Amino acid sequence: MDLFFLSLSSIIPCITKDATGRSSNRRSRAGRPRPHDLAPQRTDLRLGRIVRLLMENATVVVSGTKIADEIGTSRSEVWRLAQQLRTLGVEIAGHPATGYQLKSVPDLLLSDMLAPGLKGTIFGADVHRTYHHYYKIGSTNIEAMESASAGAPEGSVFVAEEQTAGRGRGAHQWESAPSAGIYCSVVLRPALPPSDALALSLAAGLAVHSAVEQIDSRVLPDLKWPNDLLLNGRKFCGILTEMNAEATRVRHIVVGIGINVNQTKFPAQLQPIATSLRLVSGTEWSRVELCAALLKSLDREYCDLLEKPGAHESILRRFQERSSTARGRRVRVEENGGFEGVTEGLDPRGFLQVQTAEGLRTVVSGTVRVIDNL
């Protein structure tokens, strides 16, 4: 049942190439029109600006004329946008004759909500141009990969309130509850060889770990190689890293991160293996606060990997320190007919090593399942 979170299709991040490096006319990598999200609509940026303006004037009623002047539109358009926000769950009191006021701060991952927390990062340099929010989309990773192939700049972020075709390991779909989790993909263009992509994926796991601990130090995730994070043995986060590269040069990498934040229940088949930060901590989390912390942590890990000597080794060391399964756990690896053994840490590239009856083996691809403690 290790199947529903964003995860690497294989241990080596997915590498997609063509002769020119160009995108495939908004089609999937398999060449077929994309299901569910053939024409995903980016959220109107004015919605976030209205929310931010109302937040900055929380104690007063803001006239429709003032809002219209601030966002450069008409009062009738302000009314239409306010109605749209209400349908999306934002509690706004008032109407055109009296003005508007927020009844509560919405936990929506809009660019204007995230912008203050992203200053100084590669994700905050031009947030209104590079931050893409969707209320519903098929897959943020598909959209990010297509956009990266079409020239989206490094630091572009693709965030959805809901995914209808979230992707897990292999052909499995990822359960994606509306406005309950963080479904986020980022575009990176590192000056790194393709062989370092696995270290970047492991660094993304460390970034999630750091962000969660920053918000609530009592919650300590367990990293499961290569792309899952667990709480009390159940999965709450997964990472999907996809890459477009030449033999010696990365064109772009998309890192997709899915986090179960405020889910209180899961489909029956997922209940034994899934959890959320809210279920574990007993409290509701701010997705805005967590998403900002995540992107800041990812920025730090990424910049260190590019600029600091020894960063690669540091990632592998810290990953192993924060993983209960990287060493001394009996596992079964579903690869080449399957084999069992005891984990012996990561090799210098970041691949998992497993001691078997026949000797030490390196896991290059396949699902790794923990059997028991030794």
Side-chain angles (χ1 to χ4, degrees):
M1 293 297 294
D2 189 16
L3 52 81
F4 75 103
F5 288 94
L6 291 171
S7 57
L8 292 171
S9 298
S10 64
I11 302 310
I12 301 176
C14 177
I15 302 176
T16 59
K17 304 178 184 178
D18 59 28
T20 66
R22 293 192 295 267
S23 63
S24 54
N25 194 28
R26 306 302 287 173
R27 289 174 174 262
S28 68
R29 292 190 308 278
R32 298 183 297 273
R34 298 182 303 171
H36 304 290
D37 66 329
L38 290 175
Q41 296 298 311
R42 184 180 179 185
T43 302
D44 191 326
L45 290 174
R46 295 176 299 175
L47 296 180
R49 291 169 185 164
I50 290 175
V51 171
R52 173 57 59 183
L53 179 61
L54 294 178
M55 287 176 61
E56 292 172 350
N57 297 272
T59 61
V60 299
V61 175
V62 184
S63 71
T65 300
K66 177 177 174 59
I67 296 174
D69 290 343
E70 288 284 342
I71 68 173
T73 190
S74 65
R75 287 180 62 187
S76 61
E77 183 69 359
V78 169
W79 168 247
R80 188 189 70 80
L81 293 170
Q83 289 296 88
Q84 186 175 348
L85 283 167
R86 286 169 175 145
T87 65
L88 298 169
V90 180
E91 296 182 274
I92 299 179
H95 52 77
T98 61
Y100 304 89
Q101 187 173 28
L102 277 181
K103 297 178 68 176
S104 62
V105 177
D107 193 29
L108 296 175
L109 302 177
L110 302 169
S111 59
D112 282 85
M113 303 288 283
L114 270 292
L118 300 183
K119 292 180 179 178
T121 73
I122 62 171
F123 307 115
D126 189 2
V127 68
H128 292 302
R129 183 173 70 91
T130 60
Y131 187 96
H132 305 262
H133 177 274
Y134 304 86
Y135 278 98
K136 183 180 287 188
I137 197 173
S139 162
T140 59
N141 250 50
I142 288 177
E143 187 66 18
M145 283 293 286
E146 295 283 359
S147 297
S149 293
E154 179 169 71
S156 294
V157 181
F158 297 79
V159 174
E161 298 294 324
E162 179 183 3
Q163 292 184 120
T164 58
R167 298 157 60 206
R169 187 184 297 276
H172 299 301
Q173 187 164 335
W174 179 36
E175 184 69 21
S176 174
S179 297
I182 291 173
Y183 322 122
C184 173
S185 300
V186 303
V187 175
L188 302 174
R189 299 184 182 276
L192 293 172
S195 57
D196 279 351
L198 178 55
L200 181 55
S201 184
L202 300 179
L206 290 169
V208 176
H209 188 288
S210 175
V212 169
E213 190 175 12
Q214 177 183 330
I215 302 300
D216 189 339
S217 59
R218 300 169 300 173
V219 180
L220 297 176
D222 182 13
L223 291 166
K224 179 175 179 287
W225 187 90
N227 51 5
D228 297 328
L229 286 92
L230 314 178
L231 291 167
N232 300 332
R234 296 185 179 186
K235 199 180 304 185
F236 81 98
C237 174
I239 297 164
L240 172 61
T241 302
E242 296 182 286
M243 175 172 60
N244 184 299
E246 300 171 357
T248 60
R249 180 179 70 90
V250 170
R251 292 195 185 102
H252 58 259
I253 291 177
V254 167
V255 179
I257 299 173
I259 304 176
N260 287 342
V261 183
N262 287 321
Q263 287 89 337
T264 57
K265 60 182 179 180
F266 294 92
Q269 71 272 22
L270 301 180
Q271 289 176 9
I273 61 171
T275 192
S276 71
L277 292 167
R278 181 173 180 175
L279 286 173
V280 170
S281 66
T283 60
E284 187 170 358
W285 287 53
S286 165
R287 293 185 308 134
V288 170
E289 186 179 4
L290 180 60
C291 190
L294 167 63
L295 292 174
K296 288 177 71 173
S297 294
L298 185 59
D299 171 80
R300 182 175 60 252
E301 293 286 352
Y302 178 62
C303 291
D304 284 353
L305 181 61
L306 295 183
E307 300 168 5
K308 288 190 176 181
H312 185 110
E313 293 75 14
S314 172
I315 289 169
L316 304 189
R317 175 182 54 77
R318 287 181 291 127
F319 187 96
Q320 292 177 92
E321 291 172 351
R322 291 159 177 75
S323 172
S324 70
T325 58
R327 289 185 181 276
R329 297 292 293 273
R330 179 166 291 279
V331 298
R332 177 169 179 80
V333 181
E334 306 295 343
E335 176 191 26
N336 297 328
F339 62 90
E340 294 184 9
V342 178
T343 56
E344 293 288 344
L346 308 183
D347 75 4
R349 300 167 298 172
F351 292 108
L352 184 67
Q353 299 180 103
V354 177
Q355 185 67 51
T356 72
E358 291 76 31
L360 189 66
R361 296 186 63 168
T362 300
V363 182
V364 175
S365 64
T367 300
V368 179
R369 304 185 187 278
V370 177
I371 300 174
D372 57 18
N373 286 307
L374 288 183

